[in-house]
């Protein structure tokens, strides 16, 4: 096996396909809208949410986030006049930004690795991986009976999982991802806000010289502002040597975002810092696969911008909220007592800066798109409350001003009658809206139950969302 794995079969080609080529023509920037003939769960008038507001630069108790026409109209401690208001009693913060995942694969059930591996190519070539990931993926996307691929169903289901966990922006959609202009949550390395500012590489060695040359030119011109590269994922020397390959390729730049970096030593981390590059950390998946993880505490000490990613359902955390809890524990084990506020910034302001989208996401401020998350209050300190939260504590998710998921009575108060799915989530009556399209259509909006039924009919062991 080479450093970059065995020759690509259909599965490997899909999983590891680099997203480095020039972008297709940009679509018009259009706010999420209802499909033709179906109501979108969005209020027709401004509304306000009251709670402990984390912007997340500052925290304001008994404050209000006012939403109007898809944007944050105000963040204030003064009760807004003549605005429909929900007193949440919770913590109100920006929607979470998950900077590493593989959304299409998050429909699979969690996997318990039978042993620890030295690098990612070992488990990708293993028999057990073939059984728990490759085989079910083939059944869902390339049925031998000639049934159509369910790739669009998989992505919608996976994005619903992210939304239910409070994530409104994520990274990692693969080459088979359907229409790149249509998504439920924001894909930071696809089209987002009418722009295509990022590219991604899973295996550096799979990118052709011509593609790498174009990529470097796009970075130099400023067209590409973030390049996500899976790198040094493992604990052996071959994993560490991938950093030398990155440097030799001329891709250690301020736009570079290293995903994992598990094998990076102190000297290499210093090079990352000096180059102005960034890091994305997935401790849960690293620990389960390799028994070790990135020197994240050292990276933070060096001042390397660091974000978090839940990786994927087979080996990672079920949500970014769960990953935050793992991150805090590991940072303490690494000898760091990073403040709760600093850790929260890893999935908000810092993540937005890494994604080159800090002008749009990651912070509640006037004029920004209204991507808002409300969590149950679990601690007197709002940042500590966030770090004690998991998916069960999600009370409301607003995406671009649309009430996408939340307590049933709140959604009804804010949105009024509309077509949405009622679900029971960990004992709470919730409403979920999966309507999304940048172009009006006669196609009925998807329902979570229908998406799941379609997948279960093909592969019964689909991973649950509310579990």
């Amino acid at each position: 096996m080479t450093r970059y794995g065995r020759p690509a079969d259909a599965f490997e080609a899909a999983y590891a396909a680099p997203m480095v080529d020039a972008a297709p023509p940009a679509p018009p920037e259009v706010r999420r809208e209802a499909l033709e003939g179906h109501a979108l769960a969005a209020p027709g008038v401004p509304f306000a949410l009251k709670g402990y507001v984390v912007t997340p630069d500052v925290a304001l108790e008994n404050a209000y986030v006012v939403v109007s026409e898809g944007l944050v109209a105000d963040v204030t401690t003064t009760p807004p006049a003549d605005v429909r208001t929900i007193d949440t009693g919770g913590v109100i913060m920006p929607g979470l930004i998950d900077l590493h995942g593989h959304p299409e694969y998050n429909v699979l059930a969690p996997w318990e690795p039978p042993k620890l591996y030295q690098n990612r190519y070992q488990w990708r070539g293993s028999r057990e991986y073939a059984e728990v990931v490759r085989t079910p993926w083939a059944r869902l996307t390339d049925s031998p009976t000639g049934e159509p691929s369910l790739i669009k169903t998989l992505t919608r289901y996976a994005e619903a999982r992210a939304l239910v966990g409070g994530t409104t922006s994520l990274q990692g959609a693969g080459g088979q991802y359907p229409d790149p202009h249509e998504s439920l949550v924001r894909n930071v390395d696809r089209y987002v806000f009418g722009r295509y500012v990022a590219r991604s590489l899973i295996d550096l060695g799979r990118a052709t010289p011509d593609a790498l040359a174009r990529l470097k030119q796009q970075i130099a011109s400023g067209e590409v502002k973030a390049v996500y590269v899976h790198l040094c994922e493992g604990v052996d020397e071959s994993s560490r040597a991938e950093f030398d390959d990155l440097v030799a390729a001329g891709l250690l730049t301020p736009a570079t975002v290293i995903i994992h970096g598990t094998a990076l030593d102190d000297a290499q981390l210093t090079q990352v810092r000096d180059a102005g590059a960034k890091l994305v950390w997935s401790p849960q998946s690293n620990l389960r696969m390799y028994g070790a993880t990135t020197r994240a505490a050292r990276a933070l000490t060096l001042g390397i911008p660091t974000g978090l990613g839940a990786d994927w359902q087979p080996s990672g955390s079920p949500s970014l909220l769960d990953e935050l809890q793992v991150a805090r524990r590991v940072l303490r084990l690494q000898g760091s007592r990073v403040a709760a506020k600093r850790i929260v910034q890893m999935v908000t302001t810092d993540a937005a800066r890494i994604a080159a989208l800090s002008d749009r996401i990651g912070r509640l401020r006037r004029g920004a798109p209204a991507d808002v998350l409300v969590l149950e209050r679990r601690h007197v300190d709002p940042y500590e409350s966030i770090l004690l939260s998991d998916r069960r504590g999600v009370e409301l998710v607003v995406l671009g001003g649309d009430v996408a998921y939340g307590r049933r009575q709140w959604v009804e108060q804010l949105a009024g009658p509309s077509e949405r799915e009622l679900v029971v989530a960990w004992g709470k009556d919730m409403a979920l809206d999966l309507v999304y399209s940048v172009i009006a259509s006669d196609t009925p909006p998807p329902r979570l139950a229908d998406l799941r039924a379609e997948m279960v009919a093909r592969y019964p062991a689909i991973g649950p969302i509310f579990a």
Side-chain angles (χ1 to χ4, degrees):
M1 183 180 295
T2 67
R3 180 182 300 165
Y4 295 106
R6 59 188 178 185
D9 57 14
F11 178 89
E12 281 288 303
Y15 172 82
M19 303 287 290
V20 297
D21 289 328
E29 184 173 355
V30 180
R31 182 172 172 268
R32 294 170 70 237
E33 60 182 81
L35 298 176
E36 187 68 29
H38 299 276
L40 182 65
V45 296
F47 67 94
L49 303 172
K50 179 185 178 183
Y52 210 142
V53 177
V54 172
T55 65
D57 301 313
V58 296
L60 305 170
E61 192 162 16
N62 294 319
Y64 301 82
V65 176
V66 184
V67 176
S68 178
E69 297 184 352
L71 303 176
V72 175
D74 203 2
V75 178
T76 177
T77 55
T78 302
D82 302 321
V83 175
R84 186 179 302 164
T85 300
I86 298 291
D87 187 348
T88 70
V91 175
I92 305 172
M93 65 178 296
L96 304 176
I97 306 169
D98 186 336
L99 286 186
H100 172 49
H102 302 273
E104 302 98 311
Y105 300 86
N106 284 345
V107 303
L108 303 176
W111 172 42
E112 193 62 55
K115 62 181 181 180
L116 296 178
Y117 302 92
Q118 293 295 298
N119 58 61
R120 56 188 165 136
Y121 306 107
Q122 288 184 349
W123 57 261
R124 278 166 59 178
S126 69
R127 176 190 58 80
E128 54 270 17
Y129 177 70
E131 292 180 359
V132 300
V133 176
R134 294 169 64 96
T135 298
W137 176 257
R139 289 178 63 178
L140 290 164
T141 61
D142 187 22
S143 173
T145 61
E147 295 173 289
S149 171
L150 298 184
I151 186 66
K152 189 167 186 176
T153 300
L154 306 188
T155 54
R156 284 181 168 175
Y157 185 81
E159 289 188 334
R161 178 195 296 281
L163 186 74
V164 164
T167 293
T168 54
S169 299
L170 53 77
Q171 182 276 338
Q176 293 190 81
Y177 199 85
D179 184 353
H181 312 145
E182 178 184 313
S183 62
L184 173 61
V185 298
R186 306 191 193 281
N187 287 266
V188 300
D189 54 350
R190 306 287 289 188
Y191 271 110
V192 58
F193 301 111
R195 297 178 288 177
Y196 188 33
V197 299
R199 304 292 188 271
S200 62
L201 287 162
I202 290 182
D203 294 341
L204 179 61
R206 293 190 191 275
T208 67
D210 286 346
L212 291 178
R214 285 195 301 273
L215 179 60
K216 287 187 284 188
Q217 188 278 325
Q218 291 166 339
I219 294 170
S221 69
E223 177 185 348
V224 170
K225 302 180 186 301
V227 179
Y228 299 90
V229 186
H230 284 60
L231 201 78
C232 303
E233 183 189 345
V235 294
D236 60 1
E237 285 302 319
S238 68
S239 299
R240 189 168 295 109
E242 288 185 354
F243 184 78
D244 298 330
D245 297 340
L246 182 78
V247 174
L251 282 178
L252 184 60
T253 76
T256 303
V257 183
I258 295 174
I259 294 176
H260 294 302
T262 314
L264 291 173
D265 59 26
D266 196 73
Q268 292 169 326
L269 284 172
T270 300
Q271 285 182 264
V272 171
R273 187 271 313 275
D274 292 345
K278 292 94 174 176
L279 187 66
V280 174
W281 181 34
S282 297
Q284 171 75 345
S285 184
N286 295 163
L287 292 168
R288 295 184 68 215
M289 302 295 274
Y290 312 111
T293 190
T294 314
R295 295 172 173 84
R298 179 58 177 158
L300 292 175
T301 298
L302 288 170
I304 299 171
T306 303
L308 279 179
D311 204 342
W312 62 349
Q313 187 72 2
S315 64
S317 289
S319 76
L320 195 54
L321 289 168
D322 294 277
E323 192 75 6
L324 278 168
Q325 297 183 21
V326 178
R328 164 172 260 192
R329 295 187 186 102
V330 174
L331 285 170
R332 287 177 171 173
L333 287 173
Q334 292 182 350
S336 175
R337 304 292 275 187
V338 178
K341 177 179 179 179
R342 180 72 183 80
I343 298 175
V344 170
Q345 289 172 334
M346 294 171 71
V347 294
T348 52
T349 51
D350 289 354
R353 182 156 58 102
I354 291 168
L357 292 168
S358 58
D359 60 328
R360 297 298 188 101
I361 60 177
R363 182 181 280 110
L364 296 179
R365 61 184 173 192
R366 186 177 300 175
D371 292 0
V372 186
L373 168 62
V374 180
L375 296 170
E376 293 175 351
R377 183 81 175 271
R378 296 187 174 183
H379 194 281
V380 64
D381 179 276
Y383 300 101
E384 292 288 347
S385 184
I386 293 168
L387 295 187
L388 289 172
S389 298
D390 55 23
R391 296 167 296 158
R392 294 169 292 183
V394 174
E395 298 275 74
L396 184 73
V397 181
V398 177
L399 181 57
D402 295 337
V403 180
Y405 173 70
R407 283 192 170 273
R408 177 179 178 178
Q409 66 270 30
W410 292 0
V411 174
E412 291 175 347
Q413 289 178 54
L414 292 175
S418 64
E419 291 194 11
R420 58 189 169 274
E421 192 168 1
L422 303 181
V423 296
V424 177
W426 301 284
K428 296 190 292 188
D429 289 330
M430 308 291 281
L432 176 65
D433 170 38
L434 295 189
V435 173
Y436 58 100
S437 179
V438 296
I439 301 173
S441 168
D442 292 330
T443 305
R447 293 174 56 83
L448 183 63
D450 295 335
L451 298 177
R452 182 166 178 79
E454 190 175 9
M455 293 185 298
V456 168
R458 189 85 61 89
Y459 180 69
I462 291 295
I465 290 180
F466 301 105

